[in-house]
Amino acid sequence: MSHSEPNCLDMARGQLLKAAEKLALPQEVCEILSQPMRVVRVSFPVEMDDGRIRVFIGYRSQHNNALGPFKGGIRFHPQVTMEEVIALSMWMTFKCAVVGLPYGGGKGGVVCDPRELSPGELERLSRGYIRAIAPFIGPHKDIPAPDVYTNPQIMAWMMDEFSRLKGYNAFGVITGKPLSLGGSLGRKEATARGCFITIREMAKALGLPLKGARVAIQGFGNAGSIVAKLLAGEGASVIAVVDSKGGAYNPEGLDPWKLAEYKASTGTVGGFPHSKAIDSQQLLTLDCDILIPAALENQITGVIASEVKARIIAEAANGPTTLEADRVLQQKGVKVIPDILANAGGVTVSYFEWVQNNTGHYWPEEEVNCRLEQVMVRAFRETYEMHLEQGVDMRMAAYMVALRRLYEAMRLRGWLGTEER
Ligand code: GLU
């Protein structure tokens, strides 16, 4: 991230302040929520395959637990910073609150490039990180999950390491695990499915048929690739996709199933047969109906926003749109389904996974999907109503729905002082 771009933490705080002002909440609410309750910074040694020891830096930010234990993913990325992790943990607090989960917000990160590590090194790194943060996490304390460049295998190692330390199988300490280790059916697809549901609801509200709608997607990882398939399944046309190494564009539509196979064998969507190369900036400003940023933060800047042609932006990634871009998009009348709503499907099914771990009773996939559908549709409607009633954009509306819940919980817990005084 360059210095001229707003940093994520300022963005997260800016969004909080705007929503708190609009709801006329006491100042203490903002003071509490603009800081994480705890941030852990760890360094830990990892033995590399050649026998050398490398020391890695990791973080875990526990933003707020008024509504329940801290919850949120762990990312492995070379550009992870403490500030970014704090901002992401703040977004988790609002995400869990907007969909009504009994969780607070947390996030973790390790500064590393997992693409350069062997499987053995990745396993030792994952275990080392969990040993370092073990005193601060637990099934009723703080429950990590996957995020950028982490996956079910990594969750399995982490759960195993934590369980060894505790001397019992603590399946509920982490979500996004493989199915054979207490994972939930439907978790893998959950972020994309939740995003798809919010797009479908928004398209319905705008009278835009999904059939034939032109879709552009930035990022073709777990969220981007599955949302592409779900939309194509409804007759939408995925016309452009970019990933970190390349891009593919075809105005007649790309086949997301073939594209996923192609990426699995070549490592990128770039060079896909019958497609033209396209870069991120071109994709974000492409003539399309639905734009899905499904990569990293700060992708849609003010300058890009002024060129956006889509009618709907669904933020599958966390924090892809800057505050400046938000203002521009609102003026242009582009409907932005904010990250804390659009990508909440992942943590929602993480919650279902944790419930299944805690009860020892496992649900069929239809039950998971049906409950996810209910949660997402309800959260979408509450946010959409707030947006209409208050005349604010969807992001502000989502923050307001979330903040009302957080305020109520903090007030009842007595965090805001005694009312009778
Ligand atoms: N990393 C995902 C997110 O940002 C999922 C978090 C979780 O399942 O706890 O929402």
Side-chain angles (χ1 to χ4, degrees), residues 105-128:
K107 199 77 161 203
V110 177
V111 189
C112 66
D113 192 343
R115 291 164 297 187
E116 287 172 1
L117 299 173
S118 72
E121 290 168 341
L122 199 56
E123 173 172 355
R124 293 191 291 278
L125 176 113
S126 305
R127 290 185 186 275

Side-chain angles (χ1 to χ4, degrees), residues 14 16 76 84 123 128 147 192 208-209 230 250 262 272 286 295-296 301 304 307 353 376:
L16 161 67
F76 285 179
E84 178 197 47
E123 173 172 355
D147 197 77
L208 174 80
L230 290 169
N250 182 344
Y262 179 84
F272 183 62
L286 197 67
L296 289 171
T301 59
I304 289 183
E307 301 285 319
E353 177 176 335
M376 294 306 300

Side-chain angles (χ1 to χ4, degrees), residues 60 63-64 70-73 86-98 101 103-107 145 147 318 340 343-344 346-347:
R60 182 75 188 169
H63 176 257
N64 186 279
F70 303 104
K71 182 87 189 82
I86 294 173
L88 287 159
S89 70
M90 194 188 275
W91 283 324
M92 285 308 299
T93 299
F94 290 98
K95 190 184 298 185
C96 294
V98 78
L101 303 179
Y103 282 145
K107 199 77 161 203
D147 197 77
N318 288 310
I340 58 168
N343 70 32
V347 70

Side-chain angles (χ1 to χ4, degrees), residues 16 58 91 106 116 119 135 155 189 287 318 323 387 401 406-407 416:
L16 161 67
W91 283 324
E116 287 172 1
M155 299 304 113
E189 300 80 12
D287 187 12
N318 288 310
L323 282 176
H387 151 72
V401 170
L406 284 160
Y407 169 62
L416 302 172

Side-chain angles (χ1 to χ4, degrees), residues 60 71-75 88 92 95-96 103 106-107 143-148 150 175-176 187 191 316-318 339 343-351:
R60 182 75 188 169
K71 182 87 189 82
I74 294 169
R75 72 172 50 179
L88 287 159
M92 285 308 299
K95 190 184 298 185
C96 294
Y103 282 145
K107 199 77 161 203
I143 307 139
D147 197 77
V148 173
T150 52
T175 59
R187 175 63 185 85
T191 306
N318 288 310
D339 47 8
N343 70 32
V347 70
T348 300
V349 177
S350 273
Y351 164 61

